[in-house]
PDB file of all heavy atoms in Angstrom:
ATOM      1  N   ARG L   1       4.638  23.578 -11.356  1.00  0.00           N
ATOM      2  CA  ARG L   1       3.674  24.062 -10.353  1.00  0.00           C
ATOM      3  C   ARG L   1       3.611  23.204  -9.100  1.00  0.00           C
ATOM      4  O   ARG L   1       3.197  23.678  -8.040  1.00  0.00           O
ATOM      5  CB  ARG L   1       2.285  24.157 -10.991  1.00  0.00           C
ATOM      6  CG  ARG L   1       2.156  25.341 -11.922  1.00  0.00           C
ATOM      7  CD  ARG L   1       1.004  25.201 -12.908  1.00  0.00           C
ATOM      8  NE  ARG L   1       0.904  26.391 -13.751  1.00  0.00           N
ATOM      9  CZ  ARG L   1       1.706  26.627 -14.786  1.00  0.00           C
ATOM     10  NH1 ARG L   1       2.665  25.770 -15.103  1.00  0.00           N
ATOM     11  NH2 ARG L   1       1.550  27.733 -15.493  1.00  0.00           N
ATOM     12  N   THR L   2       3.980  21.928  -9.212  1.00  0.00           N
ATOM     13  CA  THR L   2       3.800  21.017  -8.081  1.00  0.00           C
ATOM     14  C   THR L   2       5.053  20.237  -7.695  1.00  0.00           C
ATOM     15  O   THR L   2       5.157  19.762  -6.562  1.00  0.00           O
ATOM     16  CB  THR L   2       2.706  19.985  -8.386  1.00  0.00           C
ATOM     17  OG1 THR L   2       3.159  19.090  -9.414  1.00  0.00           O
ATOM     18  CG2 THR L   2       1.413  20.658  -8.835  1.00  0.00           C
ATOM     19  N   GLY L   3       5.966  20.050  -8.615  1.00  0.00           N
ATOM     20  CA  GLY L   3       7.120  19.189  -8.395  1.00  0.00           C
ATOM     21  C   GLY L   3       6.856  17.732  -8.706  1.00  0.00           C
ATOM     22  O   GLY L   3       7.766  16.902  -8.695  1.00  0.00           O
ATOM     23  N   ILE L   4       5.608  17.394  -9.007  1.00  0.00           N
ATOM     24  CA  ILE L   4       5.213  15.998  -9.218  1.00  0.00           C
ATOM     25  C   ILE L   4       5.536  15.548 -10.646  1.00  0.00           C
ATOM     26  O   ILE L   4       5.159  16.209 -11.615  1.00  0.00           O
ATOM     27  CB  ILE L   4       3.706  15.806  -8.945  1.00  0.00           C
ATOM     28  CG1 ILE L   4       3.362  16.213  -7.512  1.00  0.00           C
ATOM     29  CG2 ILE L   4       3.288  14.356  -9.194  1.00  0.00           C
ATOM     30  CD1 ILE L   4       1.866  16.269  -7.231  1.00  0.00           C
ATOM     31  N   ARG L   5       6.208  14.401 -10.742  1.00  0.00           N
ATOM     32  CA  ARG L   5       6.478  13.787 -12.043  1.00  0.00           C
ATOM     33  C   ARG L   5       5.733  12.458 -12.209  1.00  0.00           C
ATOM     34  O   ARG L   5       5.407  12.058 -13.323  1.00  0.00           O
ATOM     35  CB  ARG L   5       7.971  13.571 -12.244  1.00  0.00           C
ATOM     36  CG  ARG L   5       8.762  14.875 -12.353  1.00  0.00           C
ATOM     37  CD  ARG L   5      10.193  14.632 -12.758  1.00  0.00           C
ATOM     38  NE  ARG L   5      10.931  15.877 -12.906  1.00  0.00           N
ATOM     39  CZ  ARG L   5      10.903  16.643 -13.991  1.00  0.00           C
ATOM     40  NH1 ARG L   5      10.178  16.285 -15.040  1.00  0.00           N
ATOM     41  NH2 ARG L   5      11.607  17.760 -14.044  1.00  0.00           N
ATOM     42  N   GLN L   6       5.479  11.805 -11.098  1.00  0.00           N
ATOM     43  CA  GLN L   6       4.718  10.555 -11.134  1.00  0.00           C
ATOM     44  C   GLN L   6       4.083  10.320  -9.773  1.00  0.00           C
ATOM     45  O   GLN L   6       4.400  10.973  -8.786  1.00  0.00           O
ATOM     46  CB  GLN L   6       5.596   9.376 -11.528  1.00  0.00           C
ATOM     47  CG  GLN L   6       6.788   9.141 -10.620  1.00  0.00           C
ATOM     48  CD  GLN L   6       7.737   8.086 -11.177  1.00  0.00           C
ATOM     49  OE1 GLN L   6       8.039   8.078 -12.370  1.00  0.00           O
ATOM     50  NE2 GLN L   6       8.203   7.195 -10.317  1.00  0.00           N
ATOM     51  N   ARG L   7       3.129   9.383  -9.751  1.00  0.00           N
ATOM     52  CA  ARG L   7       2.437   9.034  -8.512  1.00  0.00           C
ATOM     53  C   ARG L   7       2.014   7.574  -8.588  1.00  0.00           C
ATOM     54  O   ARG L   7       2.003   6.969  -9.667  1.00  0.00           O
ATOM     55  CB  ARG L   7       1.232   9.945  -8.238  1.00  0.00           C
ATOM     56  CG  ARG L   7       0.059   9.848  -9.173  1.00  0.00           C
ATOM     57  CD  ARG L   7       0.285  10.425 -10.562  1.00  0.00           C
ATOM     58  NE  ARG L   7       0.333  11.877 -10.594  1.00  0.00           N
ATOM     59  CZ  ARG L   7       1.030  12.577 -11.487  1.00  0.00           C
ATOM     60  NH1 ARG L   7       1.723  11.949 -12.426  1.00  0.00           N
ATOM     61  NH2 ARG L   7       1.022  13.879 -11.482  1.00  0.00           N
ATOM     62  N   ARG L   8       1.681   6.975  -7.411  1.00  0.00           N
ATOM     63  CA  ARG L   8       1.250   5.583  -7.359  1.00  0.00           C
ATOM     64  C   ARG L   8      -0.276   5.507  -7.330  1.00  0.00           C
ATOM     65  O   ARG L   8      -0.946   6.350  -6.720  1.00  0.00           O
ATOM     66  CB  ARG L   8       1.818   4.894  -6.117  1.00  0.00           C
ATOM     67  CG  ARG L   8       3.332   4.802  -6.090  1.00  0.00           C
ATOM     68  CD  ARG L   8       3.887   3.924  -7.206  1.00  0.00           C
ATOM     69  NE  ARG L   8       5.338   3.813  -7.109  1.00  0.00           N
ATOM     70  CZ  ARG L   8       5.965   2.815  -6.506  1.00  0.00           C
ATOM     71  NH1 ARG L   8       5.267   1.827  -5.959  1.00  0.00           N
ATOM     72  NH2 ARG L   8       7.281   2.786  -6.457  1.00  0.00           N
ATOM     73  N   LYS L   9      -0.808   4.459  -7.948  1.00  0.00           N
ATOM     74  CA  LYS L   9      -2.252   4.258  -8.000  1.00  0.00           C
ATOM     75  C   LYS L   9      -2.589   2.835  -7.590  1.00  0.00           C
ATOM     76  O   LYS L   9      -2.027   1.868  -8.118  1.00  0.00           O
ATOM     77  CB  LYS L   9      -2.789   4.530  -9.412  1.00  0.00           C
ATOM     78  CG  LYS L   9      -4.304   4.400  -9.528  1.00  0.00           C
ATOM     79  CD  LYS L   9      -4.789   4.762 -10.922  1.00  0.00           C
ATOM     80  CE  LYS L   9      -6.312   4.663 -11.013  1.00  0.00           C
ATOM     81  NZ  LYS L   9      -6.796   5.055 -12.361  1.00  0.00           N
ATOM     82  N   ALA L  10      -3.508   2.703  -6.652  1.00  0.00           N
ATOM     83  CA  ALA L  10      -3.939   1.387  -6.178  1.00  0.00           C
ATOM     84  C   ALA L  10      -4.628   0.629  -7.305  1.00  0.00           C
ATOM     85  O   ALA L  10      -5.309   1.210  -8.153  1.00  0.00           O
ATOM     86  CB  ALA L  10      -4.879   1.538  -4.994  1.00  0.00           C
ATOM     87  N   SER L  11      -4.469  -0.683  -7.302  1.00  0.00           N
ATOM     88  CA  SER L  11      -5.113  -1.526  -8.310  1.00  0.00           C
ATOM     89  C   SER L  11      -6.591  -1.690  -7.979  1.00  0.00           C
ATOM     90  O   SER L  11      -7.060  -1.284  -6.909  1.00  0.00           O
ATOM     91  CB  SER L  11      -4.447  -2.892  -8.354  1.00  0.00           C
ATOM     92  OG  SER L  11      -4.759  -3.630  -7.177  1.00  0.00           O
ATOM     93  N   ALA L  12      -7.308  -2.315  -8.878  1.00  0.00           N
ATOM     94  CA  ALA L  12      -8.739  -2.549  -8.673  1.00  0.00           C
ATOM     95  C   ALA L  12      -8.996  -3.448  -7.468  1.00  0.00           C
ATOM     96  O   ALA L  12     -10.085  -3.423  -6.881  1.00  0.00           O
ATOM     97  CB  ALA L  12      -9.346  -3.168  -9.924  1.00  0.00           C
ATOM     98  N   ASP L  13      -8.013  -4.245  -7.080  1.00  0.00           N
ATOM     99  CA  ASP L  13      -8.157  -5.156  -5.938  1.00  0.00           C
ATOM    100  C   ASP L  13      -7.702  -4.540  -4.620  1.00  0.00           C
ATOM    101  O   ASP L  13      -7.763  -5.193  -3.575  1.00  0.00           O
ATOM    102  CB  ASP L  13      -7.348  -6.437  -6.185  1.00  0.00           C
ATOM    103  CG  ASP L  13      -7.854  -7.214  -7.391  1.00  0.00           C
ATOM    104  OD1 ASP L  13      -9.079  -7.208  -7.612  1.00  0.00           O
ATOM    105  OD2 ASP L  13      -7.026  -7.802  -8.097  1.00  0.00           O
ATOM    106  N   GLU L  14      -7.233  -3.293  -4.656  1.00  0.00           N
ATOM    107  CA  GLU L  14      -6.712  -2.642  -3.457  1.00  0.00           C
ATOM    108  C   GLU L  14      -7.644  -1.533  -2.978  1.00  0.00           C
ATOM    109  O   GLU L  14      -8.430  -0.982  -3.755  1.00  0.00           O
ATOM    110  CB  GLU L  14      -5.324  -2.060  -3.733  1.00  0.00           C
ATOM    111  CG  GLU L  14      -4.266  -3.117  -3.984  1.00  0.00           C
ATOM    112  CD  GLU L  14      -2.897  -2.511  -4.247  1.00  0.00           C
ATOM    113  OE1 GLU L  14      -2.798  -1.620  -5.130  1.00  0.00           O
ATOM    114  OE2 GLU L  14      -1.935  -2.924  -3.580  1.00  0.00           O
ATOM    115  N   ASN L  15      -7.525  -1.218  -1.700  1.00  0.00           N
ATOM    116  CA  ASN L  15      -8.293  -0.121  -1.125  1.00  0.00           C
ATOM    117  C   ASN L  15      -7.570   0.395   0.117  1.00  0.00           C
ATOM    118  O   ASN L  15      -6.472  -0.068   0.449  1.00  0.00           O
ATOM    119  CB  ASN L  15      -9.731  -0.559  -0.809  1.00  0.00           C
ATOM    120  CG  ASN L  15      -9.793  -1.755   0.116  1.00  0.00           C
ATOM    121  OD1 ASN L  15      -9.263  -1.728   1.226  1.00  0.00           O
ATOM    122  ND2 ASN L  15     -10.426  -2.842  -0.347  1.00  0.00           N
ATOM    123  N   THR L  16      -8.188   1.324   0.820  1.00  0.00           N
ATOM    124  CA  THR L  16      -7.574   1.907   2.015  1.00  0.00           C
ATOM    125  C   THR L  16      -7.200   0.841   3.028  1.00  0.00           C
ATOM    126  O   THR L  16      -6.131   0.896   3.656  1.00  0.00           O
ATOM    127  CB  THR L  16      -8.536   2.929   2.655  1.00  0.00           C
ATOM    128  OG1 THR L  16      -8.944   3.869   1.656  1.00  0.00           O
ATOM    129  CG2 THR L  16      -7.871   3.681   3.792  1.00  0.00           C
ATOM    130  N   HIS L  17      -8.066  -0.155   3.219  1.00  0.00           N
ATOM    131  CA  HIS L  17      -7.805  -1.217   4.191  1.00  0.00           C
ATOM    132  C   HIS L  17      -6.674  -2.133   3.744  1.00  0.00           C
ATOM    133  O   HIS L  17      -5.766  -2.437   4.525  1.00  0.00           O
ATOM    134  CB  HIS L  17      -9.071  -2.049   4.412  1.00  0.00           C
ATOM    135  CG  HIS L  17     -10.163  -1.324   5.120  1.00  0.00           C
ATOM    136  ND1 HIS L  17     -11.331  -1.929   5.523  1.00  0.00           N
ATOM    137  CD2 HIS L  17     -10.280  -0.028   5.512  1.00  0.00           C
ATOM    138  CE1 HIS L  17     -12.107  -1.057   6.120  1.00  0.00           C
ATOM    139  NE2 HIS L  17     -11.496   0.107   6.112  1.00  0.00           N
ATOM    140  N   THR L  18      -6.711  -2.588   2.512  1.00  0.00           N
ATOM    141  CA  THR L  18      -5.714  -3.567   2.059  1.00  0.00           C
ATOM    142  C   THR L  18      -4.313  -2.974   2.061  1.00  0.00           C
ATOM    143  O   THR L  18      -3.340  -3.660   2.398  1.00  0.00           O
ATOM    144  CB  THR L  18      -6.043  -4.106   0.659  1.00  0.00           C
ATOM    145  OG1 THR L  18      -5.967  -3.043  -0.305  1.00  0.00           O
ATOM    146  CG2 THR L  18      -7.428  -4.732   0.606  1.00  0.00           C
ATOM    147  N   MET L  19      -4.188  -1.699   1.690  1.00  0.00           N
ATOM    148  CA  MET L  19      -2.871  -1.068   1.701  1.00  0.00           C
ATOM    149  C   MET L  19      -2.330  -0.969   3.124  1.00  0.00           C
ATOM    150  O   MET L  19      -1.146  -1.213   3.382  1.00  0.00           O
ATOM    151  CB  MET L  19      -2.939   0.311   1.047  1.00  0.00           C
ATOM    152  CG  MET L  19      -3.160   0.262  -0.457  1.00  0.00           C
ATOM    153  SD  MET L  19      -2.997   1.876  -1.260  1.00  0.00           S
ATOM    154  CE  MET L  19      -4.464   2.716  -0.643  1.00  0.00           C
ATOM    155  N   ALA L  20      -3.204  -0.619   4.065  1.00  0.00           N
ATOM    156  CA  ALA L  20      -2.792  -0.522   5.466  1.00  0.00           C
ATOM    157  C   ALA L  20      -2.374  -1.883   6.015  1.00  0.00           C
ATOM    158  O   ALA L  20      -1.388  -1.999   6.753  1.00  0.00           O
ATOM    159  CB  ALA L  20      -3.932   0.056   6.297  1.00  0.00           C
ATOM    160  N   ILE L  21      -3.107  -2.914   5.651  1.00  0.00           N
ATOM    161  CA  ILE L  21      -2.768  -4.274   6.102  1.00  0.00           C
ATOM    162  C   ILE L  21      -1.391  -4.685   5.573  1.00  0.00           C
ATOM    163  O   ILE L  21      -0.596  -5.306   6.288  1.00  0.00           O
ATOM    164  CB  ILE L  21      -3.869  -5.259   5.660  1.00  0.00           C
ATOM    165  CG1 ILE L  21      -5.124  -5.049   6.520  1.00  0.00           C
ATOM    166  CG2 ILE L  21      -3.386  -6.708   5.743  1.00  0.00           C
ATOM    167  CD1 ILE L  21      -6.351  -5.781   6.001  1.00  0.00           C
ATOM    168  N   GLN L  22      -1.091  -4.313   4.341  1.00  0.00           N
ATOM    169  CA  GLN L  22       0.230  -4.613   3.774  1.00  0.00           C
ATOM    170  C   GLN L  22       1.328  -3.923   4.590  1.00  0.00           C
ATOM    171  O   GLN L  22       2.384  -4.509   4.865  1.00  0.00           O
ATOM    172  CB  GLN L  22       0.288  -4.143   2.316  1.00  0.00           C
ATOM    173  CG  GLN L  22      -0.580  -4.932   1.370  1.00  0.00           C
ATOM    174  CD  GLN L  22       0.116  -6.161   0.823  1.00  0.00           C
ATOM    175  OE1 GLN L  22       1.178  -6.546   1.294  1.00  0.00           O
ATOM    176  NE2 GLN L  22      -0.480  -6.785  -0.174  1.00  0.00           N
ATOM    177  N   ALA L  23       1.091  -2.682   4.984  1.00  0.00           N
ATOM    178  CA  ALA L  23       2.080  -1.954   5.785  1.00  0.00           C
ATOM    179  C   ALA L  23       2.249  -2.599   7.159  1.00  0.00           C
ATOM    180  O   ALA L  23       3.367  -2.728   7.667  1.00  0.00           O
ATOM    181  CB  ALA L  23       1.669  -0.494   5.927  1.00  0.00           C
ATOM    182  N   VAL L  24       1.146  -3.022   7.768  1.00  0.00           N
ATOM    183  CA  VAL L  24       1.205  -3.676   9.079  1.00  0.00           C
ATOM    184  C   VAL L  24       1.984  -4.984   8.992  1.00  0.00           C
ATOM    185  O   VAL L  24       2.800  -5.301   9.874  1.00  0.00           O
ATOM    186  CB  VAL L  24      -0.213  -3.909   9.634  1.00  0.00           C
ATOM    187  CG1 VAL L  24      -0.182  -4.837  10.838  1.00  0.00           C
ATOM    188  CG2 VAL L  24      -0.855  -2.579  10.018  1.00  0.00           C
ATOM    189  N   ASP L  25       1.760  -5.745   7.938  1.00  0.00           N
ATOM    190  CA  ASP L  25       2.503  -7.004   7.774  1.00  0.00           C
ATOM    191  C   ASP L  25       4.009  -6.747   7.662  1.00  0.00           C
ATOM    192  O   ASP L  25       4.826  -7.537   8.143  1.00  0.00           O
ATOM    193  CB  ASP L  25       2.010  -7.766   6.547  1.00  0.00           C
ATOM    194  CG  ASP L  25       0.678  -8.466   6.797  1.00  0.00           C
ATOM    195  OD1 ASP L  25       0.306  -8.607   7.973  1.00  0.00           O
ATOM    196  OD2 ASP L  25       0.019  -8.854   5.816  1.00  0.00           O
ATOM    197  N   LYS L  26       4.380  -5.624   7.047  1.00  0.00           N
ATOM    198  CA  LYS L  26       5.791  -5.293   6.889  1.00  0.00           C
ATOM    199  C   LYS L  26       6.444  -4.874   8.203  1.00  0.00           C
ATOM    200  O   LYS L  26       7.638  -5.087   8.406  1.00  0.00           O
ATOM    201  CB  LYS L  26       5.956  -4.182   5.843  1.00  0.00           C
ATOM    202  CG  LYS L  26       5.670  -4.634   4.421  1.00  0.00           C
ATOM    203  CD  LYS L  26       5.730  -3.476   3.446  1.00  0.00           C
ATOM    204  CE  LYS L  26       7.132  -2.942   3.273  1.00  0.00           C
ATOM    205  NZ  LYS L  26       7.199  -1.890   2.231  1.00  0.00           N
ATOM    206  N   ILE L  27       5.668  -4.299   9.111  1.00  0.00           N
ATOM    207  CA  ILE L  27       6.256  -3.786  10.353  1.00  0.00           C
ATOM    208  C   ILE L  27       6.505  -4.889  11.381  1.00  0.00           C
ATOM    209  O   ILE L  27       7.314  -4.720  12.304  1.00  0.00           O
ATOM    210  CB  ILE L  27       5.373  -2.679  10.977  1.00  0.00           C
ATOM    211  CG1 ILE L  27       6.231  -1.738  11.847  1.00  0.00           C
ATOM    212  CG2 ILE L  27       4.239  -3.254  11.802  1.00  0.00           C
ATOM    213  CD1 ILE L  27       5.476  -0.528  12.364  1.00  0.00           C
ATOM    214  N   LYS L  28       5.848  -6.013  11.242  1.00  0.00           N
ATOM    215  CA  LYS L  28       5.913  -7.063  12.268  1.00  0.00           C
ATOM    216  C   LYS L  28       7.344  -7.480  12.590  1.00  0.00           C
ATOM    217  O   LYS L  28       7.699  -7.680  13.756  1.00  0.00           O
ATOM    218  CB  LYS L  28       5.104  -8.287  11.814  1.00  0.00           C
ATOM    219  CG  LYS L  28       3.603  -8.079  11.816  1.00  0.00           C
ATOM    220  CD  LYS L  28       2.888  -9.332  11.313  1.00  0.00           C
ATOM    221  CE  LYS L  28       1.377  -9.139  11.288  1.00  0.00           C
ATOM    222  NZ  LYS L  28       0.682 -10.349  10.760  1.00  0.00           N
ATOM    223  N   ALA L  29       8.174  -7.604  11.581  1.00  0.00           N
ATOM    224  CA  ALA L  29       9.540  -8.073  11.795  1.00  0.00           C
ATOM    225  C   ALA L  29      10.396  -7.062  12.545  1.00  0.00           C
ATOM    226  O   ALA L  29      11.409  -7.422  13.146  1.00  0.00           O
ATOM    227  CB  ALA L  29      10.198  -8.404  10.454  1.00  0.00           C
ATOM    228  N   SER L  30       9.971  -5.784  12.542  1.00  0.00           N
ATOM    229  CA  SER L  30      10.757  -4.731  13.187  1.00  0.00           C
ATOM    230  C   SER L  30      10.307  -4.418  14.603  1.00  0.00           C
ATOM    231  O   SER L  30      10.990  -3.683  15.321  1.00  0.00           O
ATOM    232  CB  SER L  30      10.683  -3.446  12.352  1.00  0.00           C
ATOM    233  OG  SER L  30      11.125  -3.671  11.037  1.00  0.00           O
ATOM    234  N   LEU L  31       9.172  -4.944  15.010  1.00  0.00           N
ATOM    235  CA  LEU L  31       8.652  -4.646  16.342  1.00  0.00           C
ATOM    236  C   LEU L  31       9.517  -5.285  17.426  1.00  0.00           C
ATOM    237  O   LEU L  31       9.930  -6.436  17.287  1.00  0.00           O
ATOM    238  CB  LEU L  31       7.217  -5.154  16.486  1.00  0.00           C
ATOM    239  CG  LEU L  31       6.116  -4.431  15.707  1.00  0.00           C
ATOM    240  CD1 LEU L  31       4.785  -5.128  15.920  1.00  0.00           C
ATOM    241  CD2 LEU L  31       6.031  -2.973  16.124  1.00  0.00           C
ATOM    242  N   PRO L  32       9.762  -4.573  18.526  1.00  0.00           N
ATOM    243  CA  PRO L  32      10.539  -5.151  19.628  1.00  0.00           C
ATOM    244  C   PRO L  32       9.676  -5.993  20.572  1.00  0.00           C
ATOM    245  O   PRO L  32      10.129  -6.406  21.630  1.00  0.00           O
ATOM    246  CB  PRO L  32      11.083  -3.916  20.342  1.00  0.00           C
ATOM    247  CG  PRO L  32      10.056  -2.871  20.099  1.00  0.00           C
ATOM    248  CD  PRO L  32       9.503  -3.138  18.725  1.00  0.00           C
ATOM    249  N   TYR L  33       8.441  -6.229  20.185  1.00  0.00           N
ATOM    250  CA  TYR L  33       7.507  -7.064  20.952  1.00  0.00           C
ATOM    251  C   TYR L  33       6.561  -7.729  19.959  1.00  0.00           C
ATOM    252  O   TYR L  33       6.491  -7.339  18.782  1.00  0.00           O
ATOM    253  CB  TYR L  33       6.713  -6.233  21.961  1.00  0.00           C
ATOM    254  CG  TYR L  33       6.124  -4.962  21.386  1.00  0.00           C
ATOM    255  CD1 TYR L  33       4.921  -4.977  20.675  1.00  0.00           C
ATOM    256  CD2 TYR L  33       6.773  -3.736  21.539  1.00  0.00           C
ATOM    257  CE1 TYR L  33       4.384  -3.822  20.136  1.00  0.00           C
ATOM    258  CE2 TYR L  33       6.246  -2.573  21.006  1.00  0.00           C
ATOM    259  CZ  TYR L  33       5.059  -2.620  20.300  1.00  0.00           C
ATOM    260  OH  TYR L  33       4.538  -1.472  19.761  1.00  0.00           O
ATOM    261  N   ASP L  34       5.866  -8.732  20.405  1.00  0.00           N
ATOM    262  CA  ASP L  34       4.924  -9.417  19.524  1.00  0.00           C
ATOM    263  C   ASP L  34       3.726  -8.522  19.255  1.00  0.00           C
ATOM    264  O   ASP L  34       3.240  -7.818  20.151  1.00  0.00           O
ATOM    265  CB  ASP L  34       4.450 -10.733  20.160  1.00  0.00           C
ATOM    266  CG  ASP L  34       3.707 -11.593  19.149  1.00  0.00           C
ATOM    267  OD1 ASP L  34       4.374 -12.341  18.400  1.00  0.00           O
ATOM    268  OD2 ASP L  34       2.465 -11.500  19.106  1.00  0.00           O
ATOM    269  N   ILE L  35       3.236  -8.572  18.043  1.00  0.00           N
ATOM    270  CA  ILE L  35       2.138  -7.678  17.668  1.00  0.00           C
ATOM    271  C   ILE L  35       0.869  -7.960  18.483  1.00  0.00           C
ATOM    272  O   ILE L  35      -0.001  -7.103  18.605  1.00  0.00           O
ATOM    273  CB  ILE L  35       1.861  -7.766  16.147  1.00  0.00           C
ATOM    274  CG1 ILE L  35       1.100  -6.514  15.683  1.00  0.00           C
ATOM    275  CG2 ILE L  35       1.117  -9.065  15.794  1.00  0.00           C
ATOM    276  CD1 ILE L  35       1.102  -6.318  14.195  1.00  0.00           C
ATOM    277  N   SER L  36       0.787  -9.135  19.083  1.00  0.00           N
ATOM    278  CA  SER L  36      -0.366  -9.467  19.930  1.00  0.00           C
ATOM    279  C   SER L  36      -0.415  -8.604  21.192  1.00  0.00           C
ATOM    280  O   SER L  36      -1.445  -8.545  21.873  1.00  0.00           O
ATOM    281  CB  SER L  36      -0.340 -10.941  20.329  1.00  0.00           C
ATOM    282  OG  SER L  36       0.807 -11.233  21.110  1.00  0.00           O
ATOM    283  N   GLU L  37       0.688  -7.906  21.521  1.00  0.00           N
ATOM    284  CA  GLU L  37       0.736  -7.044  22.699  1.00  0.00           C
ATOM    285  C   GLU L  37       0.179  -5.646  22.431  1.00  0.00           C
ATOM    286  O   GLU L  37       0.044  -4.844  23.363  1.00  0.00           O
ATOM    287  CB  GLU L  37       2.172  -6.934  23.211  1.00  0.00           C
ATOM    288  CG  GLU L  37       2.764  -8.241  23.696  1.00  0.00           C
ATOM    289  CD  GLU L  37       4.197  -8.076  24.167  1.00  0.00           C
ATOM    290  OE1 GLU L  37       4.484  -7.079  24.855  1.00  0.00           O
ATOM    291  OE2 GLU L  37       5.028  -8.944  23.837  1.00  0.00           O
ATOM    292  N   VAL L  38      -0.133  -5.331  21.182  1.00  0.00           N
ATOM    293  CA  VAL L  38      -0.724  -4.027  20.853  1.00  0.00           C
ATOM    294  C   VAL L  38      -2.037  -3.866  21.610  1.00  0.00           C
ATOM    295  O   VAL L  38      -2.905  -4.757  21.575  1.00  0.00           O
ATOM    296  CB  VAL L  38      -0.951  -3.906  19.336  1.00  0.00           C
ATOM    297  CG1 VAL L  38      -1.837  -2.719  19.007  1.00  0.00           C
ATOM    298  CG2 VAL L  38       0.382  -3.800  18.613  1.00  0.00           C
ATOM    299  N   ASP L  39      -2.197  -2.745  22.306  1.00  0.00           N
ATOM    300  CA  ASP L  39      -3.429  -2.528  23.076  1.00  0.00           C
ATOM    301  C   ASP L  39      -4.170  -1.249  22.682  1.00  0.00           C
ATOM    302  O   ASP L  39      -5.049  -0.761  23.400  1.00  0.00           O
ATOM    303  CB  ASP L  39      -3.145  -2.531  24.586  1.00  0.00           C
ATOM    304  CG  ASP L  39      -2.068  -1.545  25.003  1.00  0.00           C
ATOM    305  OD1 ASP L  39      -1.668  -0.699  24.176  1.00  0.00           O
ATOM    306  OD2 ASP L  39      -1.617  -1.625  26.166  1.00  0.00           O
ATOM    307  N   LEU L  40      -3.829  -0.705  21.502  1.00  0.00           N
ATOM    308  CA  LEU L  40      -4.508   0.476  20.976  1.00  0.00           C
ATOM    309  C   LEU L  40      -4.223   0.586  19.492  1.00  0.00           C
ATOM    310  O   LEU L  40      -3.070   0.436  19.063  1.00  0.00           O
ATOM    311  CB  LEU L  40      -4.012   1.736  21.697  1.00  0.00           C
ATOM    312  CG  LEU L  40      -4.500   3.085  21.165  1.00  0.00           C
ATOM    313  CD1 LEU L  40      -6.013   3.242  21.350  1.00  0.00           C
ATOM    314  CD2 LEU L  40      -3.756   4.228  21.864  1.00  0.00           C
ATOM    315  N   ILE L  41      -5.261   0.827  18.693  1.00  0.00           N
ATOM    316  CA  ILE L  41      -5.094   1.043  17.248  1.00  0.00           C
ATOM    317  C   ILE L  41      -5.826   2.322  16.868  1.00  0.00           C
ATOM    318  O   ILE L  41      -7.020   2.478  17.149  1.00  0.00           O
ATOM    319  CB  ILE L  41      -5.651  -0.131  16.411  1.00  0.00           C
ATOM    320  CG1 ILE L  41      -4.956  -1.438  16.796  1.00  0.00           C
ATOM    321  CG2 ILE L  41      -5.455   0.142  14.923  1.00  0.00           C
ATOM    322  CD1 ILE L  41      -5.597  -2.669  16.164  1.00  0.00           C
TER     323      ILE L  41
END
């Protein structure tokens, strides 16, 4: 009915904010400018 066989679940120590922060930390190395230059979030 869905195609789903498995899914990910955040731990008790994780939430919407912490997951997003982890993603932001991962992107820093790929940015063509320093993250301090971001002027909109």
Side-chain angles (χ1 to χ4, degrees):
R1 285 160 178 78
T2 69
I4 301 171
R5 293 189 178 278
Q6 58 188 43
R7 67 288 288 151
R8 296 295 183 95
K9 183 177 182 178
S11 71
D13 297 325
E14 293 180 308
N15 57 57
T16 307
H17 291 186
T18 64
M19 290 188 290
I21 287 169
Q22 291 273 11
V24 168
D25 283 344
K26 289 175 69 175
I27 206 173
K28 289 178 181 178
S30 303
L31 290 177
Y33 47 82
D34 192 85
I35 200 164
S36 63
E37 296 179 42
V38 167
D39 54 11
L40 173 65
I41 302 171

